């Protein structure tokens, strides 16, 4: 039963990574596709490869997820808590994907972990949740908005006398690099979140010891599932990010992606903080768009997206808590 529970939990964790990939592929490439810098398939293939590479670039975020959010629960109840946390995250991912809302897969996962832990009477490290998740959740979009505005302002000043057609063509090429950086950051951030969950499952099953390095097969499996999900493509969310917030041109797309990628690398390497790629790129797009004129950004769409951010953690927590009670009644 223990081995079966471990295999099922790891399987569900990998399925979560797959949904994360198609849910968040839009983050990496929506701007490049909407400015026609890349074709959708070429962009998705590039993003999938970069996701794979990014997953092997560090383990700080995975450590925060596996050790800094909830106490590692024990036994079959512990495996039930992880399973329920993942169900909460997957259900919320699918709901927001269906409605084309770029919500955060990361915060769906953290909400699921907290909700399942509370339902299963397991300790939640609230200081870790606040410091590593809630504070970055509020700070990273503000930084994205301001940095996007500043980067775009600098680009406009540097290229103020350039031929507009030549400049756009140059930025279209540059966008392939900035989109690749965005996808690399996505792999660095989001593949590691699932690695942290799989490591917790292995510790609960006594396959690994607490604090052991992440096994290579775990890194590879999580990276591959994220890449496959990314290649499947989240077209609904891509439309929202690429077209509905603001019509982007190549210089704006480059500015938004460069801003988003820089914030993701900084948070992963310096703070080991698992931030949302969705929050960062969406706010960067808004900041870049506001340089045209403030009302160029469709703030009504932006408001709906921000509402989605705020309800993601509580909603996923509720679904995870209900899932745990069902699992508890049926199996534990």
């Amino acid at each position: 039963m223990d081995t079966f529970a471990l295999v099922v939990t790891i399987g569900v964790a990998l399925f979560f990574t797959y949904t994360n990939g198609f849910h968040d592929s839009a983050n990496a490439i929506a701007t490049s596709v909407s400015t026609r810098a890349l074709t959708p398939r070429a962009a998705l293939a590039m993003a999938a490869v970069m996701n794979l590479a990014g997953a092997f670039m560090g383990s700080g975020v995975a450590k925060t997820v596996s050790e800094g959010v909830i106490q590692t629960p024990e036994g079959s109840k512990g495996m039930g808590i992880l399973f329920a946390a993942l169900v909460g995250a997957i259900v919320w991912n699918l709901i927001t994907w269906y409605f084309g809302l770029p919500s955060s897969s990361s915060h769906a996962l953290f909400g699921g972990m907290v909700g399942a832990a509370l339902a299963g009477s397991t300790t939640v490290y609230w200081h870790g949740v606040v410091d590593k998740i809630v504070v970055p959740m509020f700070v990273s979009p503000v930084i994205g908005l301001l940095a996007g505005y500043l980067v775009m302002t600098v680009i406009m000043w540097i290229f103020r006398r350039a031929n507009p057609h030549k400049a756009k063509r140059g930025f279209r090429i540059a966008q392939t690099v900035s989109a690749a950086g965005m996808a690399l950051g996505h792999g660095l951030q989001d593949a590691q979140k699932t690695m942290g969950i799989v490591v917790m499952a292995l510790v609960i099953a006594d396959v690994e010891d607490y604090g052991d390095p992440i096994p290579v097969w775990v890194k590879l499996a999580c990276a591959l599932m994220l890449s496959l999900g990314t290649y499947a493509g989240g077209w609904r969310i891509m439309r929202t990010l690429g077209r509905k917030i603001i019509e982007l041109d190549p210089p704006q797309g480059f500015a938004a992606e460069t801003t988003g990628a820089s914030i993701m690398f900084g948070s992963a390497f310096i703070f080991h903080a698992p931030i949302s790629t969705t929050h960062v790129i969406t706010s960067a797009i808004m900041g870049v768009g506001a340089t045209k004129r403030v009302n160029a950004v469709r703030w009504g769409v932006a408001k709906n997206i921000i509402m989605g951010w705020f309800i993601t953690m509580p909603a996923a927590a509720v679904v995870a808590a209900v899932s745990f009670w069902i699992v508890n009644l049926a199996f534990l």
Side-chain angles (χ1 to χ4, degrees):
M1 178 62 190
D2 285 351
T3 307
F4 176 72
L6 174 65
V7 170
V8 168
T9 304
I10 290 174
V12 175
L14 293 176
F15 179 67
F16 165 75
T17 312
Y18 181 82
T19 66
N20 187 343
F22 75 69
H23 195 277
D24 288 7
S25 58
N27 301 340
I29 61 170
T31 47
S32 307
V33 173
S34 70
T35 61
R36 296 184 177 80
L38 293 166
T39 64
R41 279 290 159 215
L44 283 167
M46 181 272 295
V49 171
M50 287 303 189
N51 276 178
L52 194 62
F56 285 88
M57 286 178 66
S59 57
V61 170
K63 198 172 175 65
T64 297
V65 172
S66 63
E67 298 173 16
V69 180
I70 63 172
Q71 183 179 15
T72 303
E74 295 178 355
S76 55
K77 186 178 99 165
M79 210 62 86
I81 286 170
L82 282 194
F83 176 83
L86 290 161
V87 169
I90 289 167
V91 167
W92 188 249
N93 265 1
L94 293 175
I95 290 168
T96 49
W97 165 79
Y98 181 79
F99 289 106
L101 261 185
S103 74
S104 165
S105 297
S106 313
H107 292 95
L109 178 61
F110 300 135
M113 288 173 76
V114 170
L118 290 173
S121 305
T122 291
T123 305
V124 175
Y125 298 136
W126 290 110
H127 62 92
V129 172
V130 171
D131 292 352
K132 294 286 188 182
I133 297 165
V134 176
V135 170
M137 181 171 87
F138 286 103
V139 171
S140 61
V142 174
I143 294 172
L145 190 75
L146 295 174
Y149 185 89
L150 286 173
V151 169
M152 192 61 217
T153 304
V154 169
I155 287 172
M156 283 159 63
W157 187 82
I158 291 171
F159 292 92
R160 65 194 184 282
R161 294 195 181 92
N163 178 304
H165 293 297
K166 276 187 181 172
K168 278 187 181 176
R169 198 159 56 240
F171 275 108
R172 210 165 258 142
I173 295 162
Q175 258 199 284
T176 56
V177 179
S178 59
M182 193 69 206
L184 201 63
H186 181 219
L188 174 67
Q189 279 279 348
D190 286 28
Q192 282 194 48
K193 288 160 192 164
T194 312
M195 287 178 209
I197 294 289
V198 174
V199 165
M200 282 181 89
L202 294 171
V203 170
I204 291 167
D206 282 332
V207 177
E208 289 272 310
D209 289 326
Y210 190 80
D212 278 357
I214 301 166
V216 173
W217 71 265
V218 173
K219 290 188 177 187
L220 198 59
C222 293
L224 280 170
M225 288 306 282
L226 186 70
S227 294
L228 285 171
T230 298
Y231 193 69
W235 305 108
R236 289 170 186 267
I237 293 168
M238 216 176 288
R239 276 196 291 274
T240 302
L241 276 181
R243 291 257 184 255
K244 287 186 182 173
I245 299 174
I246 185 167
E247 294 284 340
L248 292 168
D249 61 22
Q252 290 172 327
F254 174 80
E257 287 167 347
T258 303
T259 301
S262 303
I263 294 168
M264 284 193 290
F265 284 116
S267 65
F269 287 126
I270 299 167
F271 303 109
H272 298 163
I275 63 165
S276 165
T277 51
T278 312
H279 292 186
V280 168
I281 191 63
T282 309
S283 56
I285 289 170
M286 289 178 204
V288 164
T291 58
K292 264 186 180 176
R293 58 186 188 286
V294 173
N295 63 358
V297 178
R298 296 184 185 109
W299 295 106
V301 176
K303 186 186 76 180
N304 292 343
I305 291 168
I306 292 163
M307 284 288 290
W309 294 354
F310 283 112
I311 61 171
T312 289
M313 276 187 78
V318 169
V319 176
V322 171
S323 302
F324 177 76
W325 288 322
I326 293 167
V327 168
N328 197 30
L329 278 173
F331 300 108
L332 303 179

